[in-house]
Amino acid sequence: MLNRTGVAAFRDGFGGSLLQPGDEGYESARVVWNGAIDRRPAIVARCSGAADVIRSVRFARDHDLVVAVRSGGHSVGGFSTCDDGILIDLSPMQGVRVDPDRRVARVHGGALLRELDHEAQAFGLACPVGVVGHTGVAGLTLGGGMGRLQRRYGFSVDNMLSVDLVTSEGNLVHVSEDDHPELFWGIRGAGPNFGIVTSFEFRLHPVGPTVTHGALIFDAERAGEVGAAYRELAATAPDELFLGLGFGLATEEDELGPELTGRPVVWIAGTHSGSPDDAERILGPVRSLRPTLDTVRPMPYLSVQTTNDEAMAWGKRFYMKGGFLGDVPEDAVARCVDAAADQPGGGEITLWAQGGAIGRVPADAMAFTGREAAFWLGVETLWEDPNEDDSHVAWGRRTMDALTPFTVAGHYVNDVVESGADVVRAIYGDAKYERLVALKREWDPQNVFHLNQNVRP
């Protein structure tokens, strides 16, 4: 139990709000996006600014509390909350300021992707971010930040110019290529290990306001043909084309007709951020394959960026596995089809093409690992009934086991649910891991920030 006198002293001068079990608002404040995660912090510190974050870190150290940090609360492994410790909640710290002349956005630590998208698009600009609007900018970016603009402009982390970060000592430091460059190397891919980012600066790029977006959906019986077309398009596609290949079960909501509902399907999905004429020319060959459903059309970029928001709504239970692939051979496509058919429902297997701007950043430029691979692989499942937890987790693991022979070294840290020293070393590889350990010893020797894919000092 926290000492009342200590909490009272903490509350005095705290600009945001402090919530404990039994307080009005505590139950909603402790909730995170993944409904499978249910934890009860001893105190939730809803911070109004960097001063509150500093005060929270110092309070946690003084009272030997486990520290969890939340911005958007989307951590798939549940790292953005804890039992009995302090949840340092940055979600009230929203706000984005765009400098259109410099093409730079300053983003507060609790901002969501949709806020950054909205403010940047007012000037015809965008920062490469993820594909769900209610994701937090901070968590996504510090692990990498894959998304629809990645082949054209790189990952979110490739466009991060600087951060203000609260250290484990409760000090605020500015970090960039010029200020603490070694720490800047480490936070780009392993950021939650080293502190709490209260603000970011991002590089912006011309995008939209209209892009070409949609999916071509086929009966999985045609998966071999569709997979071959995807491989060919991925090998020749310009940087403007974000390109995915997916496998799942057709539902009534997909409106594919009763003959396909409940059956496995395969789809090619894409977003072309260049001209509509170029998009038509580039996508024409795969559109000519006579898909069962073709949803490709010009759309506002802002609409595209929120298309997954309802499907990925708060409160659903979620599990995933991931990896990188050097190729997508026929055998891998066949195993994806088998896994899509052999599932409890709500599962998808997705591949995203890399290359383009991703590959033009040196592999050792930052802690992030995996940019040399040709494809990213995600195995995801969503459900609502807690009684189905075991079957969904088992499907995710079984599917990843079947696809592991096709993977290459490394993992996208934002995908990794399980944790442990061996897991973290496998994410970064030996050389980067040892470099991160040295940084951890310098910046967080007591491992205050350990609720993450933890690099142990």
Side-chain angles (χ1 to χ4, degrees):
M1 292 289 291
L2 285 173
N3 180 280
R4 290 186 179 181
T5 302
V7 173
F10 183 22
R11 194 182 305 275
D12 184 26
F14 191 83
S17 58
L18 300 178
L19 301 171
Q20 294 183 267
D23 290 346
E24 183 179 355
Y26 170 83
E27 291 298 326
S28 59
R30 73 179 182 85
V31 172
V32 291
W33 168 77
N34 186 351
I37 308 299
D38 183 20
R39 296 180 183 142
R40 304 186 67 84
I43 189 166
V44 178
R46 292 178 53 80
C47 301
S48 64
D52 284 351
V53 177
I54 291 169
R55 194 174 183 85
S56 299
V57 170
R58 292 176 178 174
F59 178 81
R61 289 184 64 102
D62 290 345
H63 293 80
D64 196 25
L65 292 174
V66 171
V67 174
V69 182
R70 180 174 72 188
S71 56
H74 268 242
S75 165
V76 298
F79 298 128
S80 50
T81 187
C82 61
D83 281 321
D84 302 322
I86 182 171
L87 169 54
I88 302 178
D89 183 5
L90 276 65
S91 61
M93 295 171 53
Q94 300 193 357
V96 174
R97 186 175 74 249
V98 172
D99 182 336
D101 295 328
R102 294 176 56 225
R103 292 183 178 175
V104 169
R106 185 168 180 84
V107 181
H108 290 170
L112 304 181
L113 304 190
R114 63 190 177 209
E115 186 179 4
L116 174 54
D117 285 334
H118 180 267
E119 294 299 317
Q121 274 291 280
F123 303 97
L125 302 171
C127 180
V129 292
V131 297
V132 178
H134 46 75
T135 304
V137 172
L140 176 92
T141 299
L142 296 175
M146 297 181 173
R148 297 184 176 99
L149 299 177
Q150 63 182 33
R151 286 175 43 81
R152 187 173 185 184
Y153 295 127
F155 300 130
S156 304
V157 75
D158 298 337
N159 292 275
M160 189 177 78
L161 300 174
S162 71
V163 302
D164 291 333
L165 176 142
V166 176
T167 70
S168 63
E169 296 289 338
N171 299 317
L172 184 67
V173 298
H174 186 71
V175 187
S176 68
E177 289 281 11
D178 298 321
D179 300 290
H180 307 293
E182 182 68 4
L183 180 58
F184 192 58
W185 176 89
I187 63 174
R188 289 178 293 167
N193 276 277
F194 303 108
I196 302 174
V197 175
T198 59
S199 67
F200 296 82
E201 281 191 326
F202 288 105
R203 182 186 301 109
L204 303 177
H205 306 273
V207 172
T210 300
V211 297
T212 302
H213 173 80
L216 311 171
I217 305 176
F218 304 82
D219 190 315
E221 291 182 353
R222 300 181 63 189
E225 174 189 6
V226 174
Y230 176 77
R231 286 191 296 272
E232 181 177 351
L233 182 56
T236 60
D239 294 355
E240 290 82 0
L241 182 62
F242 167 80
L243 190 63
L245 178 69
F247 306 82
L249 292 180
T251 67
E252 291 183 1
E253 290 78 12
D254 295 324
E255 299 181 352
L256 295 172
E259 67 278 3
L260 272 185
T261 298
R263 288 172 47 84
V265 291
V266 57
W267 60 87
I268 294 175
T271 303
H272 188 280
S273 58
S275 74
D277 289 343
D278 286 347
E280 180 63 31
R281 174 178 54 80
I282 293 160
L283 294 172
V286 291
R287 298 184 79 179
S288 69
L289 295 177
R290 297 173 289 104
T292 302
L293 181 64
D294 180 345
T295 68
V296 176
R297 68 188 190 280
M299 292 178 61
Y301 176 72
L302 287 178
S303 297
V304 171
Q305 282 293 92
T306 58
T307 53
N308 292 334
D309 283 16
E310 184 175 350
M312 304 294 285
W314 276 61
K316 295 182 180 180
R317 306 173 83 81
F318 182 81
Y319 182 81
M320 78 172 298
K321 303 284 282 184
F324 292 106
L325 287 82
D327 195 6
V328 190
E330 292 183 10
D331 286 351
V333 170
R335 293 192 188 190
C336 288
V337 172
D338 290 344
D342 177 32
Q343 63 159 298
E348 290 186 356
I349 305 156
T350 308
L351 295 97
W352 289 357
Q354 298 204 130
I358 297 168
R360 291 193 284 273
V361 176
D364 62 354
M366 61 189 73
F368 179 90
T369 302
R371 67 176 67 248
E372 310 99 309
F375 301 93
W376 165 83
L377 165 70
V379 177
E380 303 180 353
T381 180
L382 282 161
W383 69 104
E384 297 185 8
D385 186 349
N387 295 317
E388 297 178 0
D389 287 2
D390 290 346
S391 62
H392 283 268
V393 171
W395 176 80
R397 292 173 175 171
R398 185 169 67 247
T399 300
M400 194 67 220
D401 286 346
L403 296 173
T404 294
F406 305 101
T407 61
V408 296
H411 295 275
Y412 179 36
V413 65
N414 285 348
D415 294 344
V416 182
V417 175
E418 286 82 10
S419 57
D422 292 342
V423 172
V424 179
R425 185 179 285 273
I427 291 170
Y428 297 107
D430 289 341
K432 286 189 177 182
Y433 181 78
E434 293 302 330
R435 190 171 171 182
L436 289 168
V437 168
L439 264 176
K440 185 75 170 179
R441 288 172 179 166
E442 178 181 359
W443 288 95
D444 185 17
Q446 302 303 315
N447 209 7
V448 171
F449 302 116
H450 66 268
L451 288 183
N452 45 53
Q453 291 301 343
N454 191 228
V455 177
R456 298 176 183 173

